[in-house]
Amino acid sequence: MEIKIAPSLLAADFSDLRTEISKVEENADLLHLDVMDGHFVPNISFGMPVISSIRSVTALPFDCHIMTTNPTVYLEELAEAGADIVTIHLEAVPDPTAAMAEADKLDLGFGVVISPHTPFGAMEPWVEACQMVLIMSVHPGFGGQAFIPEVLSKVEAARKWVDFHGLETDVQIDGGITTETAAQAVAAGANVLVAGSAVFRRDDPGEAIESLRAAVGEGT
Ligand code: DX5
Ligand code: ZN
């Protein structure tokens, strides 16, 4: 299973995003962008103007994790800003049929996300139509929180579902990923690891990505 690492820009120095992104350019597989509205989650991060500004400084695919109320209405603007894949929370949109159709029309990759309190069953009907599913391993809203190990059983369930149905859907995990928890997440079946603090809060973010790869038995 190919493991992809998606550094979360939320942990970067916002005063110098161009430099911060250049530190992970060669090592990351995706750039994870956390869009928060201060309503769906109790924090505000950044939105379309920032995403379109950084589009010109990197070739990394943009993995946009949307933590807003009404995420569907932003899909067109996200596509225009340069998003490659967008994931939306089932707690915000329990039936993502319309959002999926809209993403498809816009040629945007699409995925659904569940927060720690939401069971895998809420996600089951949508896995087949998703390019990626995201199991949150912290409560959405803030970086730097501790990994919630209870979500690993949902990662196992998602991996089982994907493999049993012969799907290509990526299983992503987000929150509290360190070299230790990365190994647990991959053992449970995750193949896309989001890491904010464990990458951008290290002296050498590129090397930190390689440490995560090494911790899950991959590496260059
Ligand atoms: C939290 C965000 C995460 C966050 C992860 O709501 O979805 O992507 O940036 O940060 P760490 O890796 O520090 O837990
Ligand atoms: Zn995220």
Side-chain angles (χ1 to χ4, degrees), residues 105-167:
K105 199 175 83 189
L106 295 164
D107 216 12
L108 259 181
F110 184 82
V112 292
V113 191
I114 50 173
S115 292
H117 63 271
T118 304
F120 172 67
M123 183 176 256
E124 245 176 38
W126 319 110
V127 179
E128 183 159 9
C130 286
Q131 187 175 321
M132 183 155 74
V133 291
L134 167 52
I135 315 283
M136 290 299 297
S137 40
V138 296
H139 297 288
F142 299 92
Q145 302 179 75
F147 185 81
I148 300 172
E150 288 75 17
V151 308
L152 288 169
S153 59
K154 294 193 285 181
V155 175
E156 280 167 14
R159 172 52 56 196
K160 257 194 200 146
W161 183 276
V162 165
D163 289 351
F164 182 77
H165 293 90
L167 307 175

Side-chain angles (χ1 to χ4, degrees), residues 46-69:
F46 52 79
M48 276 63 90
V50 171
I51 296 174
S52 59
S53 297
I54 59 173
R55 185 62 288 179
S56 62
V57 308
T58 174
L60 289 171
F62 283 176
D63 161 31
C64 298
H65 174 192
I66 312 304
M67 286 161 274
T68 70
T69 305

Side-chain angles (χ1 to χ4, degrees), residues 6 8-11 32-34 36 41 65 67 89 134 136 138-147 174-178 194-199 201:
S8 168
L9 201 64
L10 194 64
H32 185 83
L33 301 173
D34 291 297
M36 304 179 184
V41 288
H65 174 192
M67 286 161 274
H89 275 259
L134 167 52
M136 290 299 297
V138 296
H139 297 288
F142 299 92
Q145 302 179 75
F147 185 81
D174 179 9
I177 292 294
T178 60
V194 176
S197 313
V199 172
R201 299 286 162 96

